[in-house]
Amino acid sequence: MLTTAATAFSGAVISGRWWSELPHSGLPFVLAFISLSTTALLIAGYCNAKRWQKPLRFAWVVLAAATAGLFVATSVGQSYLKWQQLGGEIQQDVIIEGRVVGYQRFADYDRLILTDNIVDQHVWEKQWVIQLHYYRPQATFTTGQHIRAAARIKPARAIANPTGFDMQRWYVSQRIVKTGYVRGHRIALIEPDTSTRNRLKSRLTSLQLPGEKWLLALLFGERQEFTKSDWQLLQQTGTAHLFAISGLHLMIVAGAILFVFRSFIAASAWLTFSLPKSLYLTAFILVLATCGFYAYLADWQTAVLRAYCALLIIAVLHLLKLRLSRLTLVLSTLSVSILLDPMAVYGTALYLSVGAVAIIIWFHWWWEKSSRGAHWIRGVVLLQVMLSVLMAPLVGALLGQVSLISPLINLLIVPAMSLLVIPLCLLGLLMLIVLPVDHLITSWVLYGCGKVLEWLMQQLDLVASFVGDYAAFPVFISTWLMASVIALLLILAPPFKGRLLLLIVTLLACSGGYLPVARKTEDWHVHVFDVGQGNATLISRNSKAILFDTGASFASGFNFVETVIHPFLQIRGLQLQRVFISHFDNDHAGGLDFIRKTYPELAVVTPKDNCHAGGKWQWQGLNMQALWPLPDSKEGWSDNDGSCVIKISDGRFSMLLPGDIEQKAELALLSLPEVSQELTSNIVLAPHHGSKTSSSIAFIEQVKPQFVVFSQGWLNRWGFPHQQVVERYRNVGSQALFVSESGHLRFDITGNGISTYAYRESQHSRWYHKTFVKQ
């Protein structure tokens, strides 16, 4: 019954990952449970037959656990939404006091994660988090410090597209309810971190060791110093798990203590010296205390907390001489982890760690059944191979990327890390605790660890460079297909009790978004991506595509082409054939470098290269023509007014893409009779994102669009689109569509007319995407 209850509870909470709508409260679930339970009791009393008791008891357990899970999922979801929208602090300065629990440094800003927040003297609940950007920082902060800052914050709301990394779900998984930025440099340290953890970390950094960032990751769970290239290397080689303190690291600590304890027992037996039974309890207490201290050094991160809970469960069961099936142990650990942090079901770490534990337990059962216990070396090798192979579908489903060289790399590096590097690092940590920081032994041990780690990472870099693009490949297929692969592996596995229950939870965990794929017809489609304050519009027809503008890129290395548009092309099976750049502002052309690197043979049309009035192109039966700027114009136009203006038409329906032109260029266009006639279009992308310096009344009356699209960031600092501009379009009968509200916006243009699809409002998006959609 425990297995059944754990499965039903976990499955119910995990199902919240893909709810399209969030129930207003968990009360209906509780009332349904009471009603069905009463009905079941009446049936049992009426039938009065023993053969009904077991199935009814089973159904009652499933119903009770599922009701509890649905209640938890609904409650935490509603609580998140409440705190996300709490307060009237939007677009005004607030004073925030909080403790730094995470940070990351980029080229021109620091990202700070704060908890224990007090906002304008209003004390927040501890579990809710604020993320702040500190631009052009003049001071640096680290975890554990308490800071005070003047900031502007708003509800945590990310872009919404059907492909690419789902930042909104990440916000939910990290319990981030507000995001914002520090005003000027009004930020200060109000309380330093005086904890033992910080003192030890400061001792380590004062030694200025080689491989310091890798040592900080292994000993303190600090990975903020990793660069983008570091993360790419870890992903390509499938070794990121080695530098995230989790079950492997706690197992090494526990194993070292138990090894010493077993050696002591063996020595006592050889000396015929009897040991008190209380020594066994002492050993378990020592293991739990040591692992607990290590977890404290890792700041009780979610993965560490889950691993420690599993260790605690195993220790308690062993001391009480209770036996649970392996499946029950896995599902119980999953349920406890969910109870400790229900929001973890929206992330990926929970499933990766529990999946790895499940594979290890299954392998242990299979190894015992095969009677090969004596060949432990072969067992270790086979376990590592099985982990790499069986984890690949789960990694692909959750992270969208699978490393081809991961099995071989892990087969070599995991034993080296487990048997040499991590134990030496822990020994160095012990020396750091008991000896002076400048002691020779401490310096030697930690210096040696740092040099070994540096050398290992250099070898990994050489391997990844040698293999090149084949080191890892993105998984551009439906997560349902990946879930099907995992389900097939479970079905083909040797029979074991509870396989069906495990299969249900696995399918729930791997289920993801569904991306409707358009059929290959003569219809054409306009995709306006949600890229914040910027523009990126894709036209697709017959498995071919052209791109108008790329969205922005940032100093961190992030760009929208790589993270949103390129995956979209891959999933849809679209071949990109041409790129138009309206002008060279970052919010329109930030991804151009990635385009040229990824598609070196692709034709790129810009105002400096062939995009002038009179230019015409035929593409997939569509007519494209450039209306602006004039070739060889002697007037000095601004970058905005010099934007390339493109019209695309099938002869019946058309779209106008005017870039960031302002009223001066609009009037010039209207003054050219042969060009002015071409402005009329069914769809127009509002010039300059709806700025009041664009979209003059005369221009709007000439275009007369059926739809006007405002591609702008939500609550952007410029106030785009201006309300007067929106009213001008509405006065001519245009339907205004805001990408900041709709997310990814698609126009399906057929012979019968134009239909729209808004991602946030669709059944394919999740409840956390729909928070701010206007009804």
Side-chain angles (χ1 to χ4, degrees):
M1 285 300 177
L2 180 58
T3 305
T4 302
T7 304
F9 174 79
S10 302
V13 180
I14 291 171
S15 69
R17 281 172 59 95
W18 45 273
W19 289 353
S20 179
E21 300 287 347
L22 185 67
H24 292 294
S25 72
L27 183 60
F29 300 125
V30 176
L31 295 177
F33 168 68
I34 294 173
S35 175
L36 292 174
S37 296
T38 304
T39 304
L41 290 173
L42 291 174
I43 293 174
Y46 178 78
C47 295
N48 196 26
K50 289 185 177 180
R51 64 189 179 91
W52 286 94
Q53 293 179 2
K54 186 174 181 180
L56 283 174
R57 187 164 61 249
F58 177 83
W60 188 88
V61 169
V62 171
L63 186 61
T67 301
L70 293 172
F71 183 80
V72 168
T74 302
S75 299
V76 298
Q78 288 294 347
S79 181
Y80 178 85
L81 295 183
K82 169 191 170 184
W83 281 89
Q84 188 187 45
Q85 301 178 66
L86 180 69
E89 69 277 358
I90 295 176
Q91 293 184 323
Q92 56 184 295
D93 291 356
V94 296
I95 303 299
I96 300 174
E97 294 183 9
R99 181 171 67 91
V100 180
V101 292
Y103 68 92
Q104 194 166 4
R105 297 191 175 99
F106 298 100
D108 63 341
Y109 72 93
D110 288 354
R111 184 173 66 189
L112 303 173
I113 309 294
L114 305 179
T115 188
D116 298 337
N117 293 296
I118 302 174
V119 179
D120 279 348
Q121 300 182 346
H122 178 71
V123 180
W124 283 24
E125 293 180 7
K126 289 190 175 183
Q127 69 265 34
W128 303 121
V129 178
I130 295 176
Q131 175 182 283
L132 290 181
H133 284 179
Y134 178 24
Y135 293 100
R136 296 173 295 280
Q138 295 181 353
T140 58
F141 302 96
T142 186
T143 54
Q145 295 178 334
H146 280 76
I147 64 171
R148 180 189 292 115
R152 284 199 173 178
I153 58 175
K154 58 186 178 182
R157 186 173 190 270
I159 61 173
N161 295 289
T163 56
F165 180 72
D166 193 340
M167 180 64 77
Q168 192 71 58
R169 189 171 68 190
W170 183 79
Y171 283 157
V172 177
S173 70
Q174 300 299 310
R175 305 183 303 282
I176 296 174
V177 294
K178 301 284 185 181
T179 61
Y181 61 95
V182 177
R183 295 282 285 169
H185 296 283
R186 297 159 63 188
I187 184 171
L189 175 68
I190 60 175
E191 184 181 339
D193 184 6
T194 58
S195 64
T196 302
R197 176 180 183 270
N198 186 62
R199 289 199 300 270
L200 289 173
K201 189 173 67 172
S202 299
R203 283 187 174 190
L204 179 67
T205 54
S206 69
L207 294 174
Q208 297 183 346
L209 300 167
E212 181 180 287
K213 59 184 175 183
W214 309 110
L215 287 170
L216 286 172
L218 285 175
L219 296 179
F220 300 97
E222 296 273 358
R223 299 188 292 173
Q224 287 86 351
E225 301 299 331
F226 287 7
T227 63
K228 183 180 180 181
S229 59
D230 292 333
W231 285 113
Q232 289 176 339
L233 175 61
L234 294 176
Q235 291 169 358
Q236 285 179 332
T237 56
T239 53
H241 64 97
L242 294 175
F243 295 96
I245 298 178
S246 58
L248 171 65
H249 305 76
L250 293 189
M251 183 176 67
I252 292 173
V253 174
I257 296 174
L258 292 177
F259 175 78
V260 173
F261 178 69
R262 287 178 177 271
S263 300
F264 188 61
I265 291 177
S268 65
W270 182 72
L271 296 172
T272 66
F273 176 74
S274 60
L275 296 173
K277 293 183 178 180
S278 60
L279 187 63
Y280 292 91
L281 177 61
T282 304
F284 276 101
I285 293 175
L286 182 60
V287 167
L288 292 175
T290 307
C291 289
F293 181 72
Y294 190 26
Y296 158 75
L297 293 181
D299 205 21
W300 290 104
Q301 296 174 9
T302 305
V304 184
L305 185 60
R306 284 194 296 268
Y308 190 75
C309 287
L311 182 64
L312 189 61
I313 292 173
I314 293 172
V316 170
L317 291 175
H318 186 82
L319 289 174
L320 297 178
K321 297 182 179 180
L322 298 176
R323 293 185 61 85
L324 292 179
S325 69
R326 293 173 175 86
L327 180 61
T328 303
L329 182 61
V330 172
L331 291 172
S332 299
T333 302
L334 176 62
S335 298
V336 171
S337 300
I338 290 174
L339 279 172
L340 290 172
D341 184 12
M343 291 300 189
V345 301
Y346 296 97
T348 58
L350 172 66
Y351 308 107
L352 294 175
S353 58
V354 173
V357 170
I359 292 171
I360 291 171
I361 291 178
W362 172 81
F363 179 82
H364 182 262
W365 167 80
W366 175 79
W367 189 257
E368 284 186 341
K369 288 285 186 181
S370 63
S371 301
R372 299 173 181 174
H375 306 285
W376 67 271
I377 296 179
R378 185 170 63 179
V380 170
V381 173
L382 189 57
L383 171 61
Q384 190 55 54
V385 172
M386 295 294 283
L387 272 172
S388 299
V389 172
L390 296 181
M391 284 292 290
L394 186 60
V395 171
L398 295 173
L399 301 182
Q401 180 171 280
V402 175
S403 174
L404 297 178
I405 60 176
S406 174
L408 179 59
I409 291 293
N410 280 279
L411 188 61
L412 298 174
I413 198 171
V414 168
M417 293 287 288
S418 303
L419 300 177
L420 176 63
V421 178
I422 296 178
L424 277 178
C425 289
L426 295 174
L427 177 61
L429 178 64
L430 180 61
M431 297 296 101
L432 207 62
I433 295 172
V434 301
L435 296 176
V437 66
D438 57 350
H439 197 281
L440 193 60
I441 296 178
T442 304
S443 301
W444 279 0
V445 173
L446 289 174
Y447 182 85
C449 291
K451 290 299 288 185
V452 171
L453 282 169
E454 270 195 345
W455 181 82
L456 283 175
M457 301 314 295
Q458 289 170 0
Q459 304 314 304
L460 287 181
D461 193 28
L462 287 174
V463 172
S465 301
F466 177 76
V467 179
D469 294 336
Y470 298 99
F473 69 96
V475 181
F476 293 122
I477 57 177
S478 169
T479 52
W480 275 111
L481 181 57
M482 299 303 299
S484 301
V485 173
I486 298 174
L488 181 62
L489 291 173
L490 284 172
I491 293 171
L492 296 178
F496 59 90
K497 185 179 180 181
R499 181 168 57 176
L500 179 60
L501 297 175
L502 185 60
L503 180 61
I504 293 172
V505 174
T506 302
L507 290 175
L508 286 171
C510 292
S511 62
Y514 167 72
L515 180 64
V517 178
R519 296 179 179 178
K520 298 178 181 179
T521 66
E522 291 304 311
D523 304 337
W524 55 291
H525 311 274
V526 178
H527 308 269
V528 184
F529 292 100
D530 186 0
V531 293
Q533 188 64 29
N535 175 56
T537 303
L538 190 80
I539 311 296
S540 63
R541 193 178 201 183
N542 298 326
S543 300
K544 306 292 190 298
I546 53 177
L547 180 65
F548 292 86
D549 290 338
T550 67
S553 64
F554 301 92
S556 62
F558 176 92
N559 69 82
F560 287 106
V561 178
E562 181 179 6
T563 55
V564 175
I565 300 171
H566 185 57
F568 183 87
L569 293 169
Q570 295 288 338
I571 290 176
R572 285 294 185 92
L574 296 174
Q575 179 186 356
L576 187 61
Q577 295 190 319
R578 191 182 297 270
V579 175
F580 287 84
I581 300 297
S582 63
H583 62 301
F584 293 96
D585 283 358
N586 180 56
D587 59 333
H588 291 256
L592 190 54
D593 287 342
F594 180 84
I595 287 285
R596 286 173 170 158
K597 177 182 177 181
T598 309
Y599 305 95
E601 304 299 325
L602 195 67
V604 178
V605 182
T606 73
K608 295 180 180 179
D609 182 19
N610 299 327
C611 191
H612 302 113
K616 294 184 179 181
W617 301 267
Q618 288 288 326
W619 179 80
Q620 298 296 309
L622 300 177
N623 299 314
M624 295 184 294
Q625 57 180 322
L627 306 180
W628 186 261
L630 297 176
D632 303 322
S633 175
K634 295 181 179 180
E635 185 169 353
W637 297 97
S638 66
D639 289 341
N640 285 345
D641 278 331
S643 295
C644 178
V645 178
I646 297 289
K647 180 178 180 180
I648 183 168
S649 172
D650 62 2
R652 182 179 179 187
F653 300 107
S654 59
M655 181 176 187
L656 185 67
L657 297 140
D660 275 356
I661 61 170
E662 298 182 321
Q663 293 186 14
K664 181 180 178 181
E666 291 174 0
L667 294 176
L669 277 167
L670 293 172
S671 68
L672 302 172
E674 68 281 5
V675 175
S676 178
Q677 297 299 321
E678 299 293 338
L679 290 176
T680 304
S681 302
N682 301 94
I683 307 168
V684 64
L685 195 66
H688 203 185
H689 318 285
S691 168
K692 62 182 179 182
T693 61
S694 302
S695 297
S696 61
I697 295 176
F699 176 81
I700 294 173
E701 289 179 345
Q702 182 62 41
V703 178
K704 293 180 181 177
Q706 180 183 352
F707 300 97
V708 55
V709 179
F710 296 98
S711 179
Q712 91 292 359
W714 182 70
L715 289 181
N716 62 86
R717 67 183 69 181
W718 299 277
F720 295 161
H722 198 277
Q723 189 58 38
Q724 291 181 1
V725 172
V726 177
E727 291 302 323
R728 289 174 196 167
Y729 281 103
R730 286 175 174 163
N731 289 339
V732 299
S734 301
Q735 180 180 347
L737 300 171
F738 307 90
V739 177
S740 60
E741 293 181 5
S742 66
H744 170 263
L745 187 63
R746 188 184 76 220
F747 293 93
D748 298 324
I749 304 173
T750 68
N752 298 323
I754 302 175
S755 59
T756 61
Y757 167 90
Y759 179 69
R760 286 190 191 273
E761 299 172 3
S762 72
Q763 292 298 311
H764 306 126
S765 65
R766 304 302 175 222
W767 63 266
Y768 41 83
H769 292 138
K770 300 182 178 182
T771 310
F772 301 99
V773 175
K774 292 184 179 180
Q775 301 299 322

